[in-house]
Amino acid sequence: MTPLFNDDFQELPLKRALAQVMAKREAGAKVVGAYCSYAPVEVVWAMGGVPAVLCAFSNAPIAKAEETLPVNLCPLIKSSFGFIELKTCPFFELTDAVVGETTCDGKKKMFELIQEHRPLYVMDLPQCPTNEGAVAYWRHSVNGFKKFLEGTFATTISDAALEESIRECNRKNRLVEQIFAFGACAPAVITWQELYAVATYAMSAHGPEAIAQLEEIIATLTARREQKLYTSPEGTKRVLITGCPVGGDVLKVLKLVDEEGAAIVGLDSCTGLKPYANVTEEGTGDPLLAIAKRYLQIPCACMTPNTGRFDVLKQQVESLKPDLVIDLVLQSCHTYNVEAVKVESYVREDLGTNYLKVVTDFSQQDLGQLKTRIAAALEMS
Amino acid sequence: MLLHGQTRTVLDRFQAETSINLSSQLSLIKEQYTWNHLVSTGYGRQLAQKVLGGDVITEIKAYTTAAHHFHPAIDTVIDLGGQDTKALSINRTSGQLHKFEMNDKCSAGTGKFFEMMASSLGLSLDELVTEALRGSRSVEINSTCTVFAESEVITLLTSGVALADIARAIHEALLTKLVSLLSKVMRSDTAQILFVGGGAKNRAMVQLLTEALNRQVIVPEHPDFYGAYGAAIHAIQSTR
Ligand code: SF4
Ligand code: SF4
């Protein structure tokens, strides 16, 4: 079967992303590190910069982080912080500036601890996105970020550049959506490893080069579908992953699904489709407002109410037809953990699909138990 | 567990402590027994399949199968095992598993807890249970994490609390966990709970659970073999 990427980074999506960021940096682009899907990357691209994802999913630096941070904190925050302390995160080491958002409490306060390392801008994110004034307020934050970049790098970001960047990102995002839509094929023609690789690639890719690569991937997938080159046999049970972002050591959960002979056909989280969904309106005359509107539609559990999450789940379940929805919650992530109560009842009662919540961290100690849980949930699906 | 295919009577039952070399233990079974159909369950199921062949099911499915077969009126099962604790909700009509809950990684509270607590009090497991049955509810232990619970126990001991009351408090601590798991799967019209796993042999726990739930708690004859029963029944059912 033809791989989706024709390069030296097969099964190494993070190494590929690192190479992308390094190449752009060598060509003179400023690297802006981001921790969240709310970071408006259009502004970074408009400046001629490149965004790099700093969320870490490795268990290795957690012990270091726990020297400073409380143990009962989300592993994603601990891992990201530990890497910075150890100076071993290659992405962070490449950054010229960092942007954060006031999403969850742990992250928000962690930013205060890293601000001495890099120029840092924290965007204040309204958490009731449908309340009056929320979009206007968030536009101020987006504008603040733009001014921060302009000040830090002694440059100006014109409206025309922003419009151009919005168009490019929309184009790229639609292609990523098209690729994820192949998840609906039964039998499957795309694996979760490939979905994850595409999502990781697209974060630091832009312009004609990105478009060409993504179009080539679509051609490969179309050929697979037409030639009946399936990635798992007919009748394989299908799984949709939702919840917190996943990567690195927490991919253990996804690997267990593979081990149990099921196929993951959708990644709904921030390391999957979520950052690429929704369209930023083009040619409005106020690109910052258009950006603000689009980003506030991201259905993150930090928001209340977070009705968009349920719309997306409905749409994903209807198109991907999973037998099981796994809601992956990182330990101590209160927002996703509490939202799981509603997600469970929505998936089970309204969508009529089996549901399993998994609360885990980046360690390997719960592998045996997770395997039993996932196997049992698949047995009943 | 060896079950007769037609009569479903138990032909043989066999239990052994798991050792580091599980494969060779399993190989012994191969030498000593013969069977037509084999299904393995539990934490070692994959290894058992590798050594002995046959199929695998999770213990969750095994419990569901056994519960529906032996106790068709049951819709709620609690399993207190050495590794984990599970609560199951079963559809009484179809016998299908409706939902299950398991203890999370950090909310310990498994059968191992009793063993550790007994040893920190210098008691055998039986003695701990006997003490608990004599004790009254005078103190609380809040943790089911063995490390924290141990220090709570030592504090209570040194402040002169009766051993029996401490033993009871140890049981109550785990009881809270069981009740909270059960409350996630139990229905309002659930009249009986089936209590299985090694922990169901603990008389004090059975008594406390009955009182706390205000429902009938049924313990099968060999609660620690319940998963094996389920696997054997599944083996028979799936070959027909
Ligand atoms: S889950 Fe929420 S807080 Fe985390 S990266 Fe996504 S949008 Fe940001
Ligand atoms: S997973 Fe949850 S707790 Fe962790 S950083 Fe994201 S929103 Fe915050």
Side-chain angles (χ1 to χ4, degrees), chain A residues 74 76-77 104 107 244-245 302 330 332-333 335-336:
Chain A
C74 161
L76 196 161
I77 302 175
C104 63
K107 250 196 208 174
C244 295
C302 293
L330 295 178
S332 306
C333 175
T335 52
Y336 277 94

Side-chain angles (χ1 to χ4, degrees), chain B residues 160-182:
Chain B
V161 176
L163 187 65
D165 290 1
I166 299 179
R168 162 121 185 188
I170 289 171
H171 281 74
E172 299 261 2
L174 203 67
L175 176 70
T176 317
K177 292 280 174 195
L178 297 192
V179 171
S180 105
L181 267 191
L182 275 169

Side-chain angles (χ1 to χ4, degrees), chain B:
Chain B
M1 163 85 55
L2 215 54
L3 222 54
H4 191 279
Q6 258 92 49
T7 62
R8 300 189 179 188
T9 46
V10 177
L11 300 174
D12 204 344
R13 193 172 32 231
F14 157 93
Q15 193 170 33
E17 291 272 324
T18 46
S19 74
I20 301 190
N21 197 346
L22 197 55
S23 301
S24 66
Q25 274 181 296
L26 289 166
S27 303
L28 273 181
I29 298 181
K30 201 171 189 171
E31 285 163 27
Q32 288 165 359
Y33 295 89
T34 54
W35 55 79
N36 294 323
H37 303 288
L38 177 80
V39 172
S40 302
T41 189
Y43 268 65
R45 61 188 181 277
Q46 254 91 16
L47 185 64
Q49 185 183 38
K50 222 180 260 170
V51 179
L52 305 173
D55 290 324
V56 288
I57 58 174
T58 64
E59 54 267 44
I60 294 172
K61 178 151 191 159
Y63 287 140
T64 308
T65 308
H68 191 65
H69 181 78
F70 292 112
H71 305 274
I74 284 283
D75 63 16
T76 307
V77 182
I78 181 94
D79 158 46
L80 178 54
Q83 309 283 340
D84 52 38
T85 311
K86 313 177 190 74
L88 277 51
S89 164
I90 301 171
N91 181 321
R92 266 181 295 212
T93 323
S94 67
Q96 295 294 313
L97 181 63
H98 170 63
K99 192 178 168 181
F100 67 92
E101 291 284 339
M102 267 167 100
N103 64 302
D104 281 330
K105 182 175 78 82
C106 279
S107 52
T110 66
K112 268 272 178 288
F113 178 70
F114 288 122
E115 287 173 32
M116 312 281 279
M117 288 304 106
S119 88
S120 59
L121 286 170
L123 300 176
S124 72
L125 201 53
D126 273 347
E127 288 164 342
L128 182 77
V129 173
T130 313
E131 286 295 335
L133 286 169
R134 292 197 300 128
S136 59
R137 202 174 172 186
S138 68
V139 288
E140 259 185 39
I141 289 174
N142 294 303
S143 185
T144 48
C145 159
T146 46
V147 180
F148 287 114
E150 186 162 38
S151 81
E152 283 189 61
V153 163
I154 289 165
T155 312
L156 292 174
L157 264 183
T158 51
S159 56
V161 176
L163 187 65
D165 290 1
I166 299 179
R168 162 121 185 188
I170 289 171
H171 281 74
E172 299 261 2
L174 203 67
L175 176 70
T176 317
K177 292 280 174 195
L178 297 192
V179 171
S180 105
L181 267 191
L182 275 169
S183 61
K184 290 186 182 145
V185 303
M186 226 163 38
R187 301 154 44 115
S188 53
D189 64 349
T190 297
Q192 303 167 319
I193 311 282
L194 187 71
F195 188 9
V196 298
K201 295 205 281 192
N202 181 327
R203 285 168 298 130
M205 212 57 224
V206 176
Q207 188 189 315
L208 290 175
L209 195 61
T210 311
E211 288 166 14
L213 297 173
N214 202 13
R215 285 170 162 95
Q216 194 189 357
V217 173
I218 299 174
V219 179
E221 199 185 349
H222 299 284
D224 46 342
F225 274 96
Y226 214 65
Y229 272 107
I233 290 167
H234 181 82
I236 296 169
Q237 285 174 351
S238 57
T239 53
R240 277 192 307 163

Side-chain angles (χ1 to χ4, degrees), chain A residues 116-228:
Chain A
E116 75 227 36
H117 299 287
R118 289 288 185 282
L120 170 80
Y121 188 76
V122 178
M123 303 176 66
D124 191 7
L125 182 67
Q127 310 213 330
C128 298
T130 47
N131 279 12
E132 195 185 334
V135 174
Y137 186 77
W138 179 235
R139 186 194 178 281
H140 282 300
S141 299
V142 178
N143 191 36
F145 176 49
K146 181 186 115 153
K147 284 192 190 149
F148 161 79
L149 290 178
E150 289 175 331
T152 308
F153 300 116
T155 177
T156 50
I157 302 171
S158 69
D159 276 5
L162 282 170
E163 282 294 351
E164 169 65 17
S165 167
I166 289 173
R167 270 195 301 278
E168 290 285 352
C169 287
N170 277 342
R171 227 177 130 199
K172 177 180 78 176
N173 295 355
R174 296 298 70 76
L175 294 175
V176 174
E177 269 189 332
Q178 276 183 42
I179 293 173
F180 271 71
F182 278 92
C185 296
V189 297
I190 185 163
T191 65
W192 68 260
Q193 286 86 348
E194 291 172 330
L195 291 170
Y196 177 65
V198 168
T200 310
Y201 165 78
M203 206 33 89
S204 299
H206 193 64
E209 193 193 338
I211 302 300
Q213 172 67 77
L214 294 170
E215 280 176 343
E216 190 185 317
I217 290 175
I218 291 173
T220 307
L221 290 169
T222 309
R224 280 188 195 174
R225 192 178 55 198
E226 278 163 8
Q227 294 161 21
K228 299 192 173 17

